[in-house]
Amino acid sequence: MRHSRSSAIAAGILVGFALFGTTAPARAADPDTERARALFDEAGELERHGRWGAAQERLRAALGLRETPHLYYALGWALENDDKLLEAKVAYETAARLGRERPGGEEAARLAAGRLTDLEKKTPSLKVHVTGAASSKARVMVDGSEVKCEDDVAKTLVNPGSHVVRVERESKPTFEQVVYVGRGSVRTLEIEGDGVATRNGTRERHGPSPARSRASSAPPQTGEHGDSVLPWLLLSGGLAFIAGGAALLVSADADTNTREKMQARWCNVTACTGTGTGTTATRAETAEAAEYRRAATDALDTASTKQAFGLGLGGAGLVAGTVGAILLLRGEKTVEKDHQRPHPRARAGAAPLPGGGMATATFSF
């Protein structure tokens, strides 16, 4: 499958180069055409790296210079791969209309019609059924836009993902809930008179989408039994303990340096003898020397305490972080085993090229 996809893309590029080669000399003097062509090429490169949002920006800029059915088709393809199915439908419809109206646009119109048929199966819908005495005056909004109610049911097409449903009624509390809708599914909410969702169901519109498994109709779980909080807490807590222990050890080293300085000053005043900074005074200890001695002793005690706590914190952090990492790895393996599904951007078969589709699609001015 991967080999046939690459062959189709390569063939499409060759066809595109051939057409560009025959038309470019005659159009080279048109700066808008050349700029649109450059933007189209940039969009194609961005799509090959999965940067669909950036590709959409380039294609919209190109459409601002020249409106062609091929450019609208390319924009629809970028939007579809970015899960903006409603916007993709508008782009494909425009490509189909312009393709029928303009000479040389028949292929773009045909390809756009095929994508529209596929989008009809992929685009999810959301139903909100309001019951009770105040249902006739209920106002249903999805993502801030009002949805018309017919027979106490508000139905609208939505893009895959999470959406905010809000129901407002006279003399009743406002109901608001975030719901997730997967590709090709129908999500139904039934709201009772007191604003409680009594049924919250999901079903496939036309069976499972060929590009996604049935598991994609619900948000993915994040770990074994849907709970990955504990491993992350252990891992982050362990790292914090290690950092705290390291900070204490650094501070203890500074206290050790302070102790050595105070000991050296005491030794200078008392003319001490012995190895290192000296331990035996040969002169009577003055008040100044006694102060140096106490400061050295305090610094030594502080350094010892910080070293003990630093080593303890670091050890505890190392243990907690190791346990958290092990639990996290086990959770990821469980998710990979039990919830495998295609990548959200994966598509089977040969993908249409920017500005066209299959091996014969191309973008021309």
mmCIF file of all heavy atoms in Angstrom, residues 69 94-106 109:
data_model
loop_
_atom_site.group_PDB
_atom_site.id
_atom_site.type_symbol
_atom_site.label_atom_id
_atom_site.label_comp_id
_atom_site.label_asym_id
_atom_site.label_seq_id
_atom_site.Cartn_x
_atom_site.Cartn_y
_atom_site.Cartn_z
ATOM 1 N N PRO A 69 -10.682 26.001 -9.280
ATOM 2 C CA PRO A 69 -11.253 24.814 -8.626
ATOM 3 C C PRO A 69 -10.183 23.921 -8.019
ATOM 4 O O PRO A 69 -10.404 23.278 -6.997
ATOM 5 C CB PRO A 69 -12.005 24.113 -9.767
ATOM 6 C CG PRO A 69 -11.406 24.641 -11.029
ATOM 7 C CD PRO A 69 -11.002 26.044 -10.726
ATOM 8 N N THR A 94 -17.294 24.410 -3.444
ATOM 9 C CA THR A 94 -16.845 25.505 -4.314
ATOM 10 C C THR A 94 -16.001 24.970 -5.463
ATOM 11 O O THR A 94 -16.120 25.415 -6.607
ATOM 12 C CB THR A 94 -16.039 26.527 -3.500
ATOM 13 O OG1 THR A 94 -16.812 26.970 -2.385
ATOM 14 C CG2 THR A 94 -15.663 27.727 -4.358
ATOM 15 N N ALA A 95 -15.127 23.994 -5.161
ATOM 16 C CA ALA A 95 -14.303 23.393 -6.213
ATOM 17 C C ALA A 95 -15.177 22.712 -7.261
ATOM 18 O O ALA A 95 -14.930 22.829 -8.472
ATOM 19 C CB ALA A 95 -13.330 22.390 -5.597
ATOM 20 N N ALA A 96 -16.217 22.000 -6.815
ATOM 21 C CA ALA A 96 -17.108 21.321 -7.756
ATOM 22 C C ALA A 96 -17.863 22.328 -8.625
ATOM 23 O O ALA A 96 -18.006 22.140 -9.841
ATOM 24 C CB ALA A 96 -18.087 20.437 -6.992
ATOM 25 N N ARG A 97 -18.329 23.417 -8.017
ATOM 26 C CA ARG A 97 -19.082 24.417 -8.782
ATOM 27 C C ARG A 97 -18.193 25.110 -9.812
ATOM 28 O O ARG A 97 -18.563 25.232 -10.989
ATOM 29 C CB ARG A 97 -19.685 25.446 -7.820
ATOM 30 C CG ARG A 97 -20.421 26.585 -8.518
ATOM 31 C CD ARG A 97 -21.046 27.522 -7.511
ATOM 32 N NE ARG A 97 -20.067 28.062 -6.581
ATOM 33 C CZ ARG A 97 -19.261 29.090 -6.857
ATOM 34 N NH1 ARG A 97 -19.302 29.668 -8.054
ATOM 35 N NH2 ARG A 97 -18.413 29.534 -5.950
ATOM 36 N N LEU A 98 -17.005 25.554 -9.382
ATOM 37 C CA LEU A 98 -16.102 26.217 -10.325
ATOM 38 C C LEU A 98 -15.623 25.257 -11.405
ATOM 39 O O LEU A 98 -15.422 25.647 -12.558
ATOM 40 C CB LEU A 98 -14.904 26.796 -9.574
ATOM 41 C CG LEU A 98 -15.188 27.963 -8.619
ATOM 42 C CD1 LEU A 98 -13.909 28.407 -7.926
ATOM 43 C CD2 LEU A 98 -15.819 29.132 -9.370
ATOM 44 N N GLY A 99 -15.437 23.984 -11.030
ATOM 45 C CA GLY A 99 -14.998 23.007 -12.017
ATOM 46 C C GLY A 99 -16.018 22.789 -13.114
ATOM 47 O O GLY A 99 -15.657 22.550 -14.275
ATOM 48 N N ARG A 100 -17.298 22.874 -12.751
ATOM 49 C CA ARG A 100 -18.348 22.723 -13.767
ATOM 50 C C ARG A 100 -18.481 23.972 -14.631
ATOM 51 O O ARG A 100 -18.862 23.892 -15.806
ATOM 52 C CB ARG A 100 -19.686 22.418 -13.090
ATOM 53 C CG ARG A 100 -19.751 21.050 -12.431
ATOM 54 C CD ARG A 100 -21.170 20.729 -11.994
ATOM 55 N NE ARG A 100 -21.652 21.676 -10.990
ATOM 56 C CZ ARG A 100 -21.561 21.497 -9.679
ATOM 57 N NH1 ARG A 100 -20.978 20.396 -9.205
ATOM 58 N NH2 ARG A 100 -22.028 22.391 -8.836
ATOM 59 N N GLU A 101 -18.165 25.127 -14.054
ATOM 60 C CA GLU A 101 -18.363 26.386 -14.773
ATOM 61 C C GLU A 101 -17.198 26.749 -15.680
ATOM 62 O O GLU A 101 -17.387 27.437 -16.683
ATOM 63 C CB GLU A 101 -18.591 27.522 -13.767
ATOM 64 C CG GLU A 101 -19.868 27.379 -12.951
ATOM 65 C CD GLU A 101 -19.966 28.445 -11.870
ATOM 66 O OE1 GLU A 101 -18.964 29.187 -11.687
ATOM 67 O OE2 GLU A 101 -21.021 28.532 -11.213
ATOM 68 N N ARG A 102 -15.987 26.308 -15.347
ATOM 69 C CA ARG A 102 -14.805 26.768 -16.070
ATOM 70 C C ARG A 102 -14.204 25.656 -16.926
ATOM 71 O O ARG A 102 -14.187 24.493 -16.516
ATOM 72 C CB ARG A 102 -13.757 27.282 -15.081
ATOM 73 C CG ARG A 102 -14.257 28.456 -14.254
ATOM 74 C CD ARG A 102 -13.173 28.990 -13.353
ATOM 75 N NE ARG A 102 -13.653 30.103 -12.546
ATOM 76 C CZ ARG A 102 -12.903 30.779 -11.682
ATOM 77 N NH1 ARG A 102 -11.627 30.434 -11.516
ATOM 78 N NH2 ARG A 102 -13.416 31.783 -10.994
ATOM 79 N N PRO A 103 -13.693 26.014 -18.087
ATOM 80 C CA PRO A 103 -13.043 25.011 -18.943
ATOM 81 C C PRO A 103 -11.814 24.419 -18.250
ATOM 82 O O PRO A 103 -11.059 25.129 -17.583
ATOM 83 C CB PRO A 103 -12.636 25.815 -20.187
ATOM 84 C CG PRO A 103 -13.496 27.039 -20.161
ATOM 85 C CD PRO A 103 -13.751 27.347 -18.726
ATOM 86 N N GLY A 104 -11.635 23.126 -18.395
ATOM 87 C CA GLY A 104 -10.485 22.455 -17.802
ATOM 88 C C GLY A 104 -10.660 22.093 -16.342
ATOM 89 O O GLY A 104 -9.722 21.576 -15.721
ATOM 90 N N GLY A 105 -11.838 22.364 -15.780
ATOM 91 C CA GLY A 105 -12.041 22.069 -14.367
ATOM 92 C C GLY A 105 -12.835 20.809 -14.112
ATOM 93 O O GLY A 105 -13.233 20.545 -12.974
ATOM 94 N N GLU A 106 -13.065 20.008 -15.165
ATOM 95 C CA GLU A 106 -13.898 18.814 -15.008
ATOM 96 C C GLU A 106 -13.297 17.818 -14.019
ATOM 97 O O GLU A 106 -14.007 17.205 -13.210
ATOM 98 C CB GLU A 106 -14.103 18.125 -16.369
ATOM 99 C CG GLU A 106 -14.874 18.946 -17.389
ATOM 100 C CD GLU A 106 -13.992 19.960 -18.098
ATOM 101 O OE1 GLU A 106 -12.762 19.959 -17.824
ATOM 102 O OE2 GLU A 106 -14.516 20.746 -18.910
ATOM 103 N N ALA A 109 -13.781 18.963 -10.473
ATOM 104 C CA ALA A 109 -15.181 18.796 -10.083
ATOM 105 C C ALA A 109 -15.482 17.339 -9.749
ATOM 106 O O ALA A 109 -16.187 17.040 -8.774
ATOM 107 C CB ALA A 109 -16.093 19.291 -11.204
#
